């Protein structure tokens, strides 16, 4: 099972370097591990613990709090159907029922070919576009059962790979702070005085 | 695939003042070129051309209310930090996940530079030395848009070292979560940002302004709140307070979902727009679908007690809505028409809060689950009269005393004002009870119709001799 690759370690160090306390980088680094392997492996948690200076138990403790982290393999496409009020009022139960029949699995399950995991999700902040779902955290809005069939056909035929990366990758764009532009961390032990611009004068 | 999938849909423009949505009409609204061509970063220039304290004073006198839920004035919040304790941090709450709420994601996906500019103005005014912009984990495109915008803004000299060539320097660090509603609570957000399980902290002593991130004074502001600042700086306090009312100036983003003709996100004039305007007005939702009757609506996100048509003429103004028994919360209205199965609708919300309980406080961890199980049983037609009483008993262990609800003429009810008392650290526990209490108070007969009609079987003898 896998520790982070060299490229990911370099990225991890860049991320850790933005926080006054390394442990703050835990959740972003767990995402990195999930991006690498599709789920969070034990070795990755040990490795992340080494990188931020906490035990692997602490990494596990944090990781298990958050719904997005998976600890065993899931489908290439994780389909999250929202079931909270706005979506329920607009027929999300029917959509979930249809998805279960179409995929032949119950919510929480994964298809035998490893393509799809189906989940019941809570409010996804798209309430005016109900019922909605996310595939690997990319939205689809106002879905009918027929739309869902079309989506599953497209995903099965790998027609949406340009938009929807495999499970694990969330954002495809990362922040980069060039060293000549960045201020660097402002840690409590490094700074005890008020910032320079609070001198009663206009900065510009 | 159409591009609409990438560009958060749902916003409906209108002939009304636009403070935070002025660029939404452009397909490239999230790009720095469009931003600058439409007055972007002018508010930052205007702020930096004055001493920081006067910028802070402006935010205070403009009464920029927090748009996250509590509605606390941002300028006052900034002033709650203890004297001479440095450094201070800004944490941006972009963990939008209150049921019904859809506005911060739009602001992040469609105009990320406006948010960045707002963060910079806040850091300048309140002397905050590092900013952490926390975006909900499930919002992939919002994370991409903000990351791209930050990269552009750093490159162009708007963020980072010596901004616009001045002595004002601040990093904005993009941080992202991994799925936990409770992290929207400010102290839980800080816990999460420190790499821990996102469980709320006790207040006192952990008021973020005094003792927040890494134990330092920390301002936690909502995305929409910060997005107001560039316009305020560019146009001034008088222009800002000319919109809306004295106690609720400016505009608000409101998402109206559910059984309306035209669900959507609207930027409305604060303080004066009424729920009737929003639900029935032709420039807004255009009424209930199929001309159905309105049964009930949730006025301020899943945590808000429900209203019925008796409350339609209330304006979008915090103190009036509070006195009427609910809250404006996060600008989220969920509309239920006459076809709605009320107990089942209440269950969708109670299930949400029970599921999202972090487990720290017993009344929420156990009570939320109990509420969900009992209500489920009732919805499935397997409940009893005792279950209805039990729902209230469990609710009272989370929120002792009178629980807020709306007045209702037909039922002869007078309003019990918001807020409630609570036995938990944060509002997640009480929120599990809100839909149960509202639905039971306003639509008790629907629950009673649901309970089993078992009758007592008279047992005369366990066995009989032949």
């Amino acid at each position: 099972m896998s520790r982070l690759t060299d490229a990911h370690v370099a990225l991890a160090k860049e991320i850790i370097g933005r926080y006054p306390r390394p442990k703050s980088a835990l959740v972003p680094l767990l995402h990195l591990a999930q991006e690498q392997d599709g789920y969070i492996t034990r070795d990755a948690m040990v490795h992340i613990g080494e990188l931020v200076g906490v035990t692997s138990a602490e990494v596990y403790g944090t990781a298990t709090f958050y719904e997005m982290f998976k600890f065993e393999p899931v489908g290439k496409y994780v389909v999250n159907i929202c079931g909270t009020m706005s979506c329920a009022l607009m027929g999300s139960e029917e959509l979930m029922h249809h998805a279960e029949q179409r995929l032949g699995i119950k919510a929480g399950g994964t298809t035998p070919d490893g393509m799809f995991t189906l989940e019941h999700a809570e409010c996804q902040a798209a309430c005016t576009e109900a019922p909605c779902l996310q595939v690997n955290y990319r939205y689809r809005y106002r879905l009918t059962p027929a739309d869902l069939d079309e989506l599953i056909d497209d995903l099965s035929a790998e027609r949406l790979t340009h938009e929807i990366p495999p499970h694990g990758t969330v954002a495809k764009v990362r922040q980069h702070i060039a060293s000549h532009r960045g201020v660097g961390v402002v840690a409590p032990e490094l700074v005890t005085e008020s910032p320079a611009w609070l001198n009663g004068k206009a900065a510009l | 695939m159409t591009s609409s999938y990438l560009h958060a849909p749902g916003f409906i423009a209108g002939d009304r003042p636009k403070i935070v949505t002025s660029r939404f009409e452009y397909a490239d609204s999230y790009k720095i070129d469009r931003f600058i061509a439409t007055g972007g970063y002018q508010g930052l220039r205007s702020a930096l051309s004055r001493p920081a304290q006067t910028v802070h004073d402006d935010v205070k006198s403009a009464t920029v209310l927090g748009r996250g839920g509590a509605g606390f004035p941002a300028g006052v919040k900034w002033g709650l930090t203890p004297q001479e304790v440095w450094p201070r941090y800004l944490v941006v709450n972009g963990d939008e996940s209150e049921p019904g709420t859809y506005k911060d994601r739009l602001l992040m996906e469609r105009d990320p530079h406006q948010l960045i500019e707002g963060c910079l103005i806040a850091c300048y005014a309140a002397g905050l030395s590092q900013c952490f912009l926390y975006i909900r984990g499930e919002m992939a495109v919002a994370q991409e848009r903000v990351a791209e915008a930050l990269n552009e803004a750093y490159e162009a000299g708007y963020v980072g070292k010596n901004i616009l060539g001045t002595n004002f320097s601040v990093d904005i660090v993009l941080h992202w979560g991994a799925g936990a509603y409770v992290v929207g609570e400010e102290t839980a957000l800080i816990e999460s940002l420190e790499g821990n399980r996102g469980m709320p902290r006790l207040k006192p002593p952990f008021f973020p302004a005094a003792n927040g991130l890494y134990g330092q004074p920390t301002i936690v502001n909502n995305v929409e709140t910060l997005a107001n600042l560039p316009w305020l700086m560019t146009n001034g306090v008088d222009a800002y307070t000319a919109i809306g009312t004295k106690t609720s100036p400016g505009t608000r983003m409101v998402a109206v979902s559910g059984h309306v003709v035209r669900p959507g996100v609207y930027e409305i004039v604060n303080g004066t727009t009424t729920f009737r305007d929003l639900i029935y007005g032709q420039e807004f939702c255009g009424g209930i679908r199929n001309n159905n009757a309105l049964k009930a609506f949730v006025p301020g996100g899943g945590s808000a007690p429900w209203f019925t048509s008796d409350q339609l003429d209330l304006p979008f103004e915090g103190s009036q809505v509070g006195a009427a028994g609910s809250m404006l919360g996060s600008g989220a209205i969920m509309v239920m028409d006459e076809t709605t199965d009320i107990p089942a609708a209440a269950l969708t919300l109670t299930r949400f809060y029970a599921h999202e309980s972090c487990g720290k406080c017993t009344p929420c961890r156990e009570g939320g689950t109990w509420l969900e199980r009992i209500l489920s049983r009732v919805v499935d037609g397997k409940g009893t009269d005792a279950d209805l009483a039990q729902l209230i008993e469990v609710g009272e262990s989370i929120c002792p005393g009178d629980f807020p609800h709306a007045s209702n003429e037909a039922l002869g009810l007078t309003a019990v004002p918001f807020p409630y008392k609570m036995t938990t650290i944060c509002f997640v526990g009480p929120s599990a009870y809100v839909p149960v209490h509202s639905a039971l108070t306003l639509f008790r007969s629907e629950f009673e119709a649901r309970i089993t009609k078992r009758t007592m079987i008279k047992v005369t003898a366990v066995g009989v001799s032949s």
Side-chain angles (χ1 to χ4, degrees), chain B residues 15 158 206 235 275 293 309 314 369 380 424 445:
Chain B
D15 189 20
Y158 290 107
F206 295 107
N235 297 279
F275 291 107
S309 52
L314 279 172
T369 310
D380 289 344
T424 54
S445 60

Side-chain angles (χ1 to χ4, degrees), chain A residues 18-19 23-24 31 61-62 66-68 86 89 123 125 138 172 174-176 181-182 184 186 197 203-204, chain B residues 48 89 105 130 136 144 151 154 159 161 171-172 174-175 177-179 192-193 195-197 214 257 259 355:
Chain A
R18 294 178 196 151
Y19 299 94
K23 197 184 177 191
S24 282
H31 275 297
T62 294
Y66 299 93
E67 207 114 353
M68 289 172 77
S86 302
L89 288 172
C123 189
R138 311 269 157 175
K172 292 187 283 189
R174 295 183 201 283
Q175 179 179 20
H176 286 293
R181 286 292 314 134
V186 183
W197 65 90
L204 255 183
Chain B
L48 295 190
Y89 299 111
R105 183 166 74 85
Q130 196 173 355
R136 181 172 170 186
E144 289 172 356
N151 291 345
Y154 264 99
V159 187
K161 225 181 267 179
D171 273 338
I172 299 179
L174 173 59
H175 187 89
S192 178
L193 187 50
N196 302 324
R197 295 171 75 82
Y214 313 126
S257 60
H259 299 153
H355 177 86

Side-chain angles (χ1 to χ4, degrees), chain B residues 87-334:
Chain B
R88 299 170 182 169
Y89 299 111
L90 175 64
V91 174
V92 183
N93 189 344
D95 193 59
E96 177 170 69
S97 39
E98 174 72 10
T101 312
Y102 175 30
K103 63 187 183 67
D104 296 337
R105 183 166 74 85
L106 269 161
L107 289 167
M108 292 188 284
E109 288 191 23
R110 291 211 188 182
D111 201 347
H113 282 284
Q114 176 174 254
L115 171 62
I116 292 167
E117 188 180 3
C119 296
L120 295 169
I121 293 165
C123 287
Y124 179 70
L128 315 173
S129 303
Q130 196 173 355
C131 171
F132 299 91
L133 205 170
Y134 191 120
I135 303 181
R136 181 172 170 186
E138 292 96 331
M139 295 179 179
V141 175
Q143 291 164 25
E144 289 172 356
R145 290 279 168 85
V146 173
E148 204 178 317
L150 279 169
N151 291 345
E152 288 176 330
Y154 264 99
E155 186 71 22
Y158 290 107
V159 187
K161 225 181 267 179
N162 302 117
I163 293 166
L164 299 177
T166 67
N167 63 357
F168 173 49
S169 298
V170 69
D171 273 338
I172 299 179
V173 174
L174 173 59
H175 187 89
W176 58 110
Y181 163 77
V182 66
V183 165
E185 196 277 341
E186 57 179 5
T187 59
L189 190 76
I190 290 170
E191 276 290 320
S192 178
L193 187 50
E194 290 186 4
N196 302 324
R197 295 171 75 82
M199 294 167 145
R201 296 171 172 175
L202 265 178
K203 297 193 273 189
F206 295 107
F207 287 109
N211 186 348
L213 186 63
Y214 313 126
Q216 294 300 119
T218 303
I219 301 300
V220 183
N221 279 150
N222 169 262
V223 165
E224 186 189 349
T225 314
L226 292 163
N228 270 270
L229 303 181
W231 194 98
L232 171 65
M233 288 300 123
T234 306
N235 297 279
V237 176
D238 290 344
Y240 190 85
T241 53
I243 303 168
T245 61
K246 193 169 184 304
T247 50
S248 300
T251 63
R252 272 199 78 154
M253 295 216 13
V254 179
V256 192
S257 60
H259 299 153
V260 287
V261 174
R262 211 161 55 131
V265 185
Y266 302 87
E267 181 169 7
I268 65 165
V269 173
N270 215 355
T272 56
T273 311
T274 65
F275 291 107
R276 187 185 299 281
D277 294 338
L278 270 167
I279 294 173
Y280 288 97
Q282 285 311 311
E283 61 169 319
F284 297 107
C285 295
I288 310 289
R289 64 175 184 186
N290 307 326
N291 283 319
N292 286 350
L294 170 67
K295 198 163 187 179
F297 63 99
V298 182
S303 302
W306 299 5
F307 280 166
T308 64
S309 52
D310 287 20
Q311 284 76 38
L312 276 174
D313 292 313
L314 279 172
F316 224 77
E317 206 276 325
S319 61
Q320 292 184 57
V321 170
S326 189
M327 63 166 182
L328 289 178
S330 49
I333 298 173
M334 294 183 276

Side-chain angles (χ1 to χ4, degrees), chain B residues 19-20 42-44 46-47 50 54-65 74-75 78 114 117 121 225-241 249:
Chain B
I19 289 181
V20 294
Q42 285 305 319
L44 175 67
S46 160
R50 292 180 300 140
T54 64
V55 176
H56 186 169
D57 290 343
D58 274 6
V59 175
K60 233 189 264 180
S61 46
T63 321
V64 179
L65 300 179
W78 296 357
Q114 176 174 254
E117 188 180 3
I121 293 165
T225 314
L226 292 163
N228 270 270
L229 303 181
W231 194 98
L232 171 65
M233 288 300 123
T234 306
N235 297 279
V237 176
D238 290 344
Y240 190 85
T241 53

